[in-house]
Amino acid sequence: MATIAKVAVNDATIHFDKLYSYLVPGELAGRLWPGGIVLVPFGRGNRPRMAVVLELTQESDPPTRLKTLLDAAPEDARLTPDLLSLVRFLRERYFCTWYEAVKAVIPYGAQYCPGVEDGRPVVKSRLARPTERVYHLVGALAEKPKPGPRQRMAVELLQQNESMTQHELEQQGVSRTTLDALCAKGVLRVSERYKSLDLFSQIPYEPRPVELSAEQQAACDQLEADLLSGEPRAALLYGVTGSGKTSVFVKLIEKTLAMGRKALVLVPEIGLTPQMIRRLKALFGNRLAVQHSALNNTERLLQWRMIQRGEADIVVGTRSAIFAPLSNIGLIILDEEQEHTYQSESAPRYSAHDVAKKRVAAEKALLVFASATPRTETMFAARSGRIRLVTLRERYGGRPLPTVEFVDMRAELAAGNPRELSARLISELAENLQRGEQSILLLNRRGYNTVAICSDCGEVLKCPNCSVPLVYHKNRQMLLCHHCGHQLQPVPGLCPSCGGKLLYSGFGTQRVEEELAAALPGARILRMDQDSTMQKNAHERMFTRFARQEYDILLGTQMVAKGLDFEKVTLVGVLGIDSMLFGQGFRSYENTFSLITQVVGRGGRAELPGRALIQTAVPEHPVLQLAAGQDYEAFYQEEIAFRKLCLYPPYCAFCVVGFSGSQDGAVFAAAHRFGSILAEQAARQPRLPLRVLGPTPMNIAMLNGKYRYKLTLKCRNDAAFRALMRQTLEEYGEQKLPARASVAIDFNSDGDM
Ligand code: ADP
Ligand code: ZN
């Protein structure tokens, strides 16, 4: 009998991701499981490649030409059955390769790569393993030969403590040499274990009972019933900004832990994790782990191991935390569920919503989507009874929502104000300064001047690799491509095509910061955008300082709009919203409505009432009017009617198939062929709903030197349709088209990639 492993290899493509069979050598037998990570000789040159084992079989008569596995990663690197089933799900649902899915569910630090040891290929851990030596007392200390004082001390210490790390013992004055000697005598035993890491040890444990308002209690009761049901359930907690959704989460988590189960809490941005961690850690203590991309690889690995060992009851994190190796999950919360950051924009292009649904189904748990402005699809599911709808109508403590007014920027321009900040906004800011109250300004664009335009030929200075304008960054004195990072220095004054004078127009956070400083001398301004928050924990430090009122004005991109809770903020200003309103993609109205509601909701959350000013050239626009009235219901009615009329989700699935390659014509032709193959395949299944649009160039027609086209499909995303797509991909591969254009498939796009 021979053991055969069926594996999927790293670096496959979606049109060609087959399982390969390998012979399991004797020394690896018993060390392999489905979900195991292995190293295999691959291709003609037998180059070592990482792979994941999907099946193990015993065969009495294996094919003779099978290759043999080279090595296997240790058991703790293996995908648990839960994670393996998520890998299957990702691959089936999002058209990624097996191994892309593996890399999505396992953090970088826990991954393996090919290495060499004693001239032979082996698996190598990506990180030096963050382990420490731990000592235990296992025998008595003999009196002959007479032990030294340090040896006695070590033994005494270990009589008082069950085990101690080398580091702890060294701090008491016991050296490694002493410990080695004691181990040699059989008095101590040493083992290696993963270091534990308490990332938030400074947060005090202050469990305080949370008293819910009557409305919050009613919401909580409904959700609790689902939590206790022992069935997979999903609900939308729709509550206006400041209604206290977090208080409801806290109660539900309490209940979940009391049931002996675990909770997973997702927030849309790294910037929001500290606030959530602080709150939960104060109430629930240390059994809390974190998973997000701002942790370094070691921190992230240690937190992951902690979850894997069952030492965390609560996990808080951003999108990828949905893959946390948490078992016995009772509750998953997606806070601010409308945020696009819950959709991955690289393979696997998954949505945390779908993965969460999959997990609650497997765990018979409760999934709570929470938002003041739910996605149209989520509200539709709630209204049509597919998930429970739970509503919080009032702000906590009966505080009024801020009043919202518009500043007409056309009038501002006519009155001769060339600046980005209107006279009205400046005077309101000045008033706040005088009263010692804080303000938040949202500007949805980073950098200084957006673009350089030639005053003669009208050409915009673009990135040579991407068809997007370069952005001027004043502090770094350079033009920068926000897509590929291409830099242009020194900053040119003349047009490279015609030699005309370049005008720098448009505006960004840095420019507005300067205008503010000039208009309000003495105002303490804090700018938050991608450029100012590059350092580790920058978000948290900045938010803390703003909360301590070390600043008067917080100016920033989207990251200042969401979820934050500062009591002294009474004025919110919104700049540059029109470009979002008139942006591409079927979700632009929803996104605009949501962003305005969110940022306006940052004001007037405590005693002081709030007000908001929105600068726009189209104050009469219905979406802005609805956002000003904070009338989600009316917005939803308009939006769902539009989605129905024009056939967009939830009335169909919307899928973008992207093509990219180095030759413009070839990419277009390949995209065209894909469309034809798909149409042929679909014609064999007459009742399959499908519309194919395109190919058309993507919004960014060239990226990193590659030309890009897309097909837009309106379809029903079910197993039959995905099978059809799979056949199409296979045929596309057989016709050798991937050499002309690689393909990516995205079901979460709102129009482009
Ligand atoms: P949301 O997430 O719905 O916008 P939050 O959960 O941030 O609202 O709550 C808004 C404010 O009201 C916070 O300052 C919070 O501390 C306070 N709050 C909400 N519910 C309660 C409660 N039950 N007891 C005390 N304070 C509460
Ligand atoms: Zn570029």
Side-chain angles (χ1 to χ4, degrees), residues 2-8 19-24 32-33 38 40 52-59 66-67 69:
T3 310
I4 309 289
K6 293 213 165 94
V7 310
L19 298 190
Y20 297 89
S21 293
Y22 285 87
L23 215 51
V24 177
L32 278 191
W33 315 264
V38 294
V40 300
V52 57
V53 177
L54 292 160
E55 259 177 64
L56 285 168
T57 53
Q58 299 289 333
E59 285 177 31
L66 280 189
K67 298 177 189 175
L69 286 180

Side-chain angles (χ1 to χ4, degrees), residues 182-260:
L182 287 169
C183 287
K185 287 183 181 178
V187 178
L188 299 188
R189 187 167 56 79
V190 63
S191 56
E192 296 257 324
R193 73 160 188 221
Y194 278 100
K195 282 183 190 161
S196 54
L197 168 81
D198 194 352
L199 280 179
F200 304 92
S201 49
Q202 77 287 4
I203 301 172
Y205 176 53
E206 299 170 322
R208 269 171 295 142
V210 177
E211 293 269 343
L212 294 186
S213 70
E215 194 186 37
Q216 289 170 348
Q217 187 62 52
C220 195
D221 289 344
Q222 293 182 61
L223 293 167
E224 226 179 273
D226 283 338
L227 187 64
L228 292 169
S229 72
E231 292 292 323
R233 294 283 166 89
L236 167 60
L237 176 60
Y238 160 56
V240 296
T241 55
S243 57
K245 293 184 283 296
T246 320
S247 303
V248 177
F249 300 163
V250 163
K251 279 284 172 192
L252 287 175
I253 294 171
E254 221 172 82
K255 196 79 199 168
T256 305
L257 301 191
M259 291 163 73

Side-chain angles (χ1 to χ4, degrees), residues 430-462:
E431 208 180 302
N432 252 29
L433 267 180
Q434 237 168 22
R435 287 203 297 237
E437 294 170 14
Q438 290 178 299
S439 310
I440 291 181
L441 291 188
L442 168 76
L443 169 58
N444 204 24
R445 211 175 307 164
R446 71 182 171 121
Y448 186 78
N449 289 296
T450 306
V451 292
I453 302 178
C454 174
S455 57
D456 283 349
C457 72
E459 208 164 278
V460 175
L461 207 63
K462 287 185 176 170

Side-chain angles (χ1 to χ4, degrees), residues 110-141:
Q111 292 173 17
Y112 280 76
C113 58
V116 176
E117 206 179 273
D118 302 330
R120 136 195 109 82
V122 291
V123 296
K124 195 176 92 203
S125 160
R126 287 233 184 240
L127 287 185
R129 322 214 93 210
T131 54
E132 61 193 349
R133 296 166 71 86
V134 190
Y135 292 87
H136 308 260
L137 197 62
V138 287
L141 187 59

Side-chain angles (χ1 to χ4, degrees), residues 463-468 470 481-486 703-704:
C463 171
N465 313 317
C466 312
S467 54
V468 296
L470 290 167
C481 172
H482 281 189
H483 289 280
C484 74
H486 176 83
L703 190 68
N704 292 314

